[in-house]
Amino acid sequence: MTAIKESSTIQENKRYALSQCPVTYVMEKIGGYWKPIIIYHLHTGDKRYSELKRAIPAITEKVLIQHLKQLEADQLIIREAKPVVPPFVTYKLSAAGKGLFPVIDAMANWAFQDMEKVFDRK
């Protein structure tokens, strides 16, 4: 894989957009298809990996692991591992992740309303 040149114009523009545009900042943190869904499921409480996998059956194991690592690196979730055999790992929302839930909830509420129109539900 090619290394990203940190001093490139594209990287400078990206850093500028992240620092100036709140929507760009949010999308950098939760952009993509799966991250908001993971946050949505963690809102109800701590979950183990297997619980998340059951709650989101369409996600592949590789993608779930990648997104959990990214959400942890962005400090939106907290990974707690207990030193036992077999390992006991849980994931929960951090304070920042909990702060995002109103955004995710607003997205879900909008979807319910729009789905009624699109799918002619009454």
Side-chain angles (χ1 to χ4, degrees), residues 11-105:
Q11 293 304 313
E12 288 293 325
N13 290 343
K14 186 175 180 181
R15 276 192 290 279
Y16 179 77
L18 284 171
S19 70
Q20 299 300 311
C21 177
V23 175
T24 301
Y25 183 83
V26 170
M27 292 308 295
E28 179 69 18
K29 299 288 184 178
I30 66 165
Y33 186 80
W34 297 110
K35 288 180 185 178
I37 297 169
I38 294 167
I39 292 169
Y40 183 81
H41 285 287
L42 286 174
H43 179 66
T44 57
D46 299 5
K47 299 271 187 301
R48 295 189 69 187
Y49 173 87
S50 59
E51 293 173 302
L52 286 169
K53 183 68 179 109
R54 271 194 306 275
I56 315 168
I59 194 170
T60 65
E61 290 187 21
K62 178 184 175 187
V63 171
L64 180 56
I65 290 166
Q66 286 175 338
H67 286 339
L68 288 170
K69 286 180 180 180
Q70 289 169 0
L71 288 165
E72 182 183 15
D74 286 336
Q75 300 178 339
L76 297 177
I77 65 170
I78 298 168
R79 180 185 186 272
E80 291 182 337
K82 294 183 179 162
V84 294
V85 176
F88 189 88
V89 178
T90 57
Y91 297 91
K92 66 181 181 179
L93 291 178
S94 66
K98 289 176 185 173
L100 269 172
F101 188 73
V103 175
I104 304 296
D105 193 43

